[in-house]
Amino acid sequence: MDGNGRWAVQRGLARVDGHRKGADAVRETIAGAIACEVRYLTLYAFSTENWKRPRSEIEVLMSLMVRHVHSEMEALAEQNVRVTFIGERAQLPSEVSEGMEMLEDRTSSNDGLQVIVGLNYSGRSELAWAFRQLLRDAIEGRIDPSDLDESALDQRLMTAGVPDPDLVIRTGGEHRISNFLLWQIAYSELYFTSILWPDFTRQDFQNAIAAYTCRRRRFGGIDA
Ligand code: FPP
């Protein structure tokens, strides 16, 4: 969800105003995903590298998360959306982690769109986390190192049970992955758009899906 800061600066506003508008774009994208019958939508809200930002910006982002959890919870539950979070929770302010747990609990029995929010998440830290679980399981005899295959790692990722993404959308005009789901996107289709995240609408989401449906995926094989 890139481009919040630039969106605000272009309008003579503070960067945090871009994040506030960006939170509205989250609602739009969820509506687009429901309309397109998408099963899983992962939103990268705060990376492990985002702690390098000014303290005041981090505080606004954290309070936006808390406010959004409370203001959106009933609407999400009514839309049959299930929300889960990936990322390391221990470092997050307690009101954020409590809000996350509350939203997960409130929506846990929903079986419509699953929204996965990356908060204090990065692909590399997730892999290190999964390797720690694997090592512990090997040392304590729950897995034989010779049985360690791709699925053993998959099962220990924060996204365990969630299929790999078919499509990755990056807004804001940058052409990079920025530590997002590094293991899971091995064969994902990539879609880059210069639209800044706060301007991203449900129609833009639907356009990305339409572009995806024209792609031919071979997963390293050849066309049939
Ligand atoms: C990147 O834009 C955006 C972020 C680091 C924050 C994303 C967070 C939200 C949209 C807020 C709410 C989220 C949820 C799930 C409720 P940037 O600041 O790097 O933009 P720039 O590249 O233009 O500076």
Side-chain angles (χ1 to χ4, degrees):
M1 302 192 282
D2 197 14
N4 293 349
R6 278 166 288 161
W7 182 92
V9 169
Q10 282 172 8
R11 287 160 178 77
L13 301 169
R15 291 178 53 81
V16 292
D17 292 319
H19 296 316
R20 290 193 184 98
K21 190 73 171 54
D24 296 338
V26 168
R27 197 179 302 121
E28 276 284 304
T29 298
I30 290 175
I34 292 172
C36 292
E37 297 181 16
V38 165
R39 295 285 299 115
Y40 301 91
L41 173 72
T42 306
L43 299 166
Y44 200 4
F46 193 87
S47 77
T48 53
E49 288 77 27
N50 287 151
W51 295 108
K52 294 179 200 155
R53 294 188 176 214
R55 198 185 163 85
S56 54
E57 183 172 340
I58 293 172
E59 280 171 7
V60 169
L61 277 169
M62 293 297 155
S63 69
L64 259 180
M65 303 295 172
V66 175
R67 201 174 329 143
H68 213 70
V69 161
H70 288 96
S71 66
E72 299 301 309
M73 187 152 57
E74 289 314 311
L76 290 166
E78 270 167 35
Q79 292 174 97
N80 197 23
V81 173
R82 178 175 175 208
V83 183
T84 57
F85 291 85
I86 52 172
E88 302 223 28
R89 299 185 187 204
Q91 279 167 276
L92 294 170
S94 56
E95 63 271 26
V96 176
S97 50
E98 282 160 21
M100 289 157 68
E101 250 173 64
M102 194 170 69
L103 187 55
E104 284 182 332
D105 287 350
R106 176 70 183 89
T107 61
S108 61
S109 56
N110 292 349
D111 60 4
L113 171 69
Q114 182 171 347
V115 174
I116 300 131
V117 182
L119 236 178
N120 196 24
Y121 171 85
S122 77
R124 285 184 175 181
S125 68
E126 177 190 36
L127 284 167
W129 186 81
F131 291 140
R132 282 201 296 278
Q133 321 286 319
L134 268 178
L135 212 53
R136 204 168 294 137
D137 287 347
I139 289 167
E140 293 171 9
R142 284 186 292 275
I143 185 168
D144 186 324
S146 56
D147 294 334
L148 206 166
D149 56 9
E150 292 183 15
S151 103
L153 184 61
D154 264 332
Q155 288 160 23
R156 287 163 180 85
L157 291 172
M158 293 169 177
T159 53
V162 175
D164 289 343
D166 292 311
L167 174 67
V168 175
I169 302 172
R170 180 168 186 147
T171 60
E174 307 290 359
H175 295 147
R176 53 175 175 258
I177 296 302
S178 298
N179 222 343
F180 182 63
L181 299 176
L182 294 179
W183 171 271
Q184 298 90 333
I185 63 168
Y187 277 99
S188 302
E189 294 294 322
L190 306 179
Y191 180 89
F192 297 103
T193 168
S194 58
I195 299 170
L196 303 176
W197 175 254
D199 288 330
F200 195 73
T201 62
R202 72 182 78 179
Q203 185 57 55
D204 294 321
F205 183 85
Q206 287 167 342
N207 292 347
I209 298 287
Y212 165 79
T213 59
C214 299
R215 305 267 179 102
R216 254 186 304 141
R217 304 183 75 190
R218 293 189 290 272
F219 299 95
I222 54 169
D223 286 330

